[in-house]
Amino acid sequence: MQNENNNSLPPQDKDCPAKRVEDSIKKKFHKSLFSRFTKAIVEYELIQSGDKIAVCVSGGKDSFAMAKLFQELKRHNKIPFELEFLVMDPGYNKENREIIEKNASLLDIPVSVFETDIFESVFNIEKSPCYLCARMRRGHLYHRAKDLGCNKIALGHHYDDVIETILMGMLYGGQMQTMMPKLKSANFEGMELIRPMYLIREETIKAWRDYNNLKFIQCACKFTENCATYGPSGSKRMKMKELIRALEREDGGIEQNIFRSVENVSLKTVIAYKDKEGVRHRFTDDY
């Protein structure tokens, strides 16, 4: 499924489902979706003039929302940039592949699909298959994007992913770190990863999805195919979601404080830290 001009904008037929979705972004969800999308782009300097961005569409609500937001941003054209909408098929079953392609068509997103055998490669890996799968996916996306002349790939991670990652690092990894809004690739020279959904709440994306009566896949890997169109499994990330929700119910503001915690780090009050080169420093070094 491929469109020769991936920068083309959807038709403006008022009866077109894509047009109704776009209207919801411009009106009902303008403040909670589009404004936060552009705020992240400006605040973290995610797009520069002349960029060619590979918008990575995995098939879920987040990446499809991101694709529509990019189309809306392109329509404003304040910064000259180009878009490619990439769908990587790592070995989806037939049903999930069809759902993704139908949604792309429904929403007038001109995706380019390419296939890999990642699911088969990691299926028999016992230790950290999800971590390996994610790394392999990213590598394939970088490679494909670079072949298409892109200098950036955009992923659909949102605000809730960020705060969950912070807690997961602390509770399961024994480290203080976060999911960065942008990263330079260590293995693909000149390539960069950006996360323009960084300030958007997951509940807003769900509300946008439900308002437009859209149905996306939620989980499509071979380990959890039974939840492909239903609910996610009981992963560590789900535990973090539940923990954060419980804390937020008891004390409002917890979510925001978790996010701010990685913006307000004082090196004078940590026992040890690693600098940009990975060199470890302890407070006793210059005590």
Side-chain angles (χ1 to χ4, degrees):
M1 181 177 183
Q2 188 168 6
N3 187 302
E4 292 183 359
N5 183 6
N6 279 8
N7 289 296
S8 62
L9 296 175
Q12 297 302 302
D13 181 355
K14 65 179 181 180
D15 295 322
C16 174
K19 179 61 169 57
R20 293 197 295 272
V21 168
E22 289 154 16
D23 284 343
S24 72
I25 290 175
K26 288 185 284 188
K27 297 175 183 177
K28 183 175 179 63
F29 295 97
H30 185 273
K31 184 176 180 180
S32 56
L33 271 182
F34 189 69
S35 292
R36 287 176 177 257
F37 183 75
T38 56
K39 182 180 179 180
I41 288 171
V42 172
E43 185 168 334
Y44 301 118
E45 301 176 352
L46 302 184
I47 299 178
Q48 281 76 41
S49 177
D51 280 345
K52 187 172 183 180
I53 304 166
V55 181
C56 302
V57 180
S58 64
K61 68 184 188 311
D62 307 327
S63 61
F64 267 114
M66 177 177 66
K68 294 309 295 180
L69 288 165
F70 263 116
Q71 286 183 324
E72 182 62 24
L73 183 67
K74 179 68 176 173
R75 191 171 285 113
H76 288 265
N77 207 34
K78 291 185 177 180
I79 304 173
F81 66 93
E82 296 180 59
L83 297 172
E84 293 280 351
F85 296 93
L86 291 187
V87 172
M88 181 187 65
D89 183 345
Y92 293 135
N93 62 33
K94 182 180 178 181
E95 179 186 13
N96 286 326
R97 172 72 176 258
E98 288 178 352
I99 291 172
I100 294 171
E101 292 182 332
K102 286 180 180 178
N103 278 327
S105 178
L106 178 75
L107 296 173
D108 282 313
I109 300 171
V111 297
S112 172
V113 182
F114 69 102
E115 298 177 353
T116 68
D117 60 354
I118 292 176
F119 283 172
E120 288 297 329
S121 298
V122 302
F123 187 67
N124 293 315
I125 302 296
E126 294 184 3
K127 186 176 180 181
S128 303
C130 296
Y131 173 76
L132 178 60
C133 180
R135 285 185 62 87
M136 291 178 69
R137 282 176 182 240
R138 192 169 301 177
H140 279 284
L141 287 168
Y142 270 127
H143 194 279
R144 182 71 170 185
K146 193 164 188 176
D147 285 346
L148 292 172
C150 299
N151 65 310
K152 293 179 178 178
I153 65 171
L155 302 184
H157 297 118
H158 48 65
Y159 185 97
D160 296 74
D161 290 324
V162 176
I163 60 177
E164 290 157 16
T165 298
I166 294 169
L167 279 191
M168 285 177 66
M170 294 173 64
L171 301 182
Y172 292 105
Q175 56 190 348
M176 185 66 180
Q177 63 179 25
T178 190
M179 182 181 282
M180 298 297 287
K182 63 180 180 181
L183 288 170
K184 292 181 179 179
S185 173
N187 300 315
F188 294 84
E189 187 177 355
M191 295 292 292
E192 190 175 0
L193 179 155
I194 61 173
R195 294 184 170 104
M197 307 278 279
Y198 205 77
L199 301 178
I200 296 176
R201 298 306 308 262
E202 184 177 24
E203 63 185 16
T204 302
I205 303 171
K206 288 179 177 178
W208 168 81
R209 175 199 64 193
D210 296 343
Y211 178 83
N212 290 288
N213 197 30
L214 299 171
K215 306 292 182 183
F216 302 115
I217 65 171
Q218 292 187 26
C219 177
C221 106
K222 285 182 177 286
F223 294 100
T224 51
E225 279 186 342
N226 289 335
C227 69
T229 53
Y230 301 97
S233 60
S235 64
K236 288 184 174 65
R237 186 165 292 276
M238 282 305 299
K239 291 179 181 178
M240 292 301 97
K241 285 180 182 292
E242 293 166 3
L243 174 60
I244 292 170
R245 278 199 295 264
L247 292 171
E248 184 68 21
R249 282 195 297 269
E250 292 181 10
D251 297 286
I254 290 292
E255 295 166 326
Q256 189 176 53
N257 286 339
I258 294 172
F259 187 90
R260 287 178 173 174
S261 70
V262 291
E263 294 182 328
N264 299 311
V265 177
S266 173
L267 296 183
K268 292 181 179 180
T269 60
V270 296
I271 295 173
Y273 69 93
K274 292 180 181 179
D275 61 24
K276 291 182 178 180
E277 284 69 44
V279 178
R280 186 178 178 85
H281 302 272
R282 291 183 59 84
F283 84 99
T284 51
D285 293 345
D286 57 359
Y287 180 75

